[in-house]
Amino acid sequence: MPQDGRAIAYVRPHDLALVPAGAGGPGIDVAVRRAIPLGGTVRVELAAPGDAVWEAELTRSGWKALGADAGTTLRAVPRQLRVFSAQA
């Protein structure tokens, strides 16, 4: 059922895909703050619009294929998200 008003979208880190910023298509441009290797995955901290900090979780090979470092601009594309009403 559609609702009007403010909403909050939540994306789990493993449901946030990262692609090169020049790839076009849907998504939001973000900047890599840092990448943290965790076994077979890499947790990526991202500077998002509005001074927000987002996190993405990629496989090591997926991160390496991006060729990104701190400061690189990428496009964040949610594969799955949940939307909640922001109204009290």
Side-chain angles (χ1 to χ4, degrees):
M1 170 180 284
Q3 295 182 359
D4 293 334
R6 294 176 51 90
I8 297 171
Y10 177 78
V11 179
R12 293 180 183 202
H14 61 271
D15 286 328
L16 190 62
L18 298 176
V19 297
I28 297 172
D29 286 346
V30 294
V32 174
R33 291 178 54 166
R34 68 181 179 152
I36 306 162
L38 300 168
T41 63
V42 177
R43 179 69 58 124
V44 185
E45 290 182 3
L46 306 160
D51 295 326
V53 176
W54 294 357
E55 292 185 349
E57 187 174 296
L58 286 73
T59 62
R60 277 191 182 248
S61 60
W63 172 247
K64 188 174 181 176
L66 281 171
D69 287 315
T72 302
T73 299
L74 299 171
R75 181 157 291 210
V77 182
R79 288 187 282 254
Q80 183 174 17
L81 62 89
R82 300 225 18 199
V83 178
F84 301 93
S85 172
Q87 299 174 7

